[in-house]
Amino acid sequence: MTNDEAPLTSEERAELEALRAEKARRERAELEQLRAERGSEGAASPTRPRRETETPRREATAPQRETEAQRRARRLMEPGEDLSMPVAQKIILVVLALVVAAVIAVYLFVSR
């Protein structure tokens, strides 16, 4: 790994720009998909306004549910933009810490 203070080479700069462009294309595509889904939901039931408590999962088709489940799983399992720890990993570490604390507490109180 190179030093963080060293300037980027032209190849690295080109790769970074390509990655940023790809990310921007994906975000635009996702935004357009969400707009299309929202538009189709509004067109499906124009006479009855949608309540806040209704979930789109009930109305979603099987492929839409799969992509939604994949997004949820990705959000739980992948690190954030700043490479922060994924949510699922945090949950596992907390549960593991509670188990270890319980084992230590049982060991201390039973041995007396």
Side-chain angles (χ1 to χ4, degrees), residues 57 62-76:
R57 284 183 234 141
Q64 289 173 335
R65 280 184 286 209
E66 287 178 21
T67 56
E68 184 178 322
Q70 288 174 349
R71 283 188 192 130
R72 256 184 289 139
R74 188 172 295 124
R75 189 172 52 243
L76 286 175

Side-chain angles (χ1 to χ4, degrees), residues 45-112:
S45 59
T47 57
R48 181 177 63 101
R50 187 173 167 174
R51 295 186 324 210
E52 291 295 321
T53 58
E54 290 183 28
T55 61
R57 284 183 234 141
R58 280 191 232 155
E59 301 168 359
T61 62
Q64 289 173 335
R65 280 184 286 209
E66 287 178 21
T67 56
E68 184 178 322
Q70 288 174 349
R71 283 188 192 130
R72 256 184 289 139
R74 188 172 295 124
R75 189 172 52 243
L76 286 175
M77 298 302 294
E78 288 184 356
E81 292 292 322
D82 59 348
L83 298 179
S84 60
M85 189 181 301
V87 175
Q89 188 175 1
K90 290 177 184 178
I91 292 170
I92 290 171
L93 288 175
V94 167
V95 169
L96 183 63
L98 291 174
V99 168
V100 168
V103 168
I104 291 173
V106 167
Y107 177 75
L108 289 175
F109 292 121
V110 172
S111 66
R112 290 184 182 191

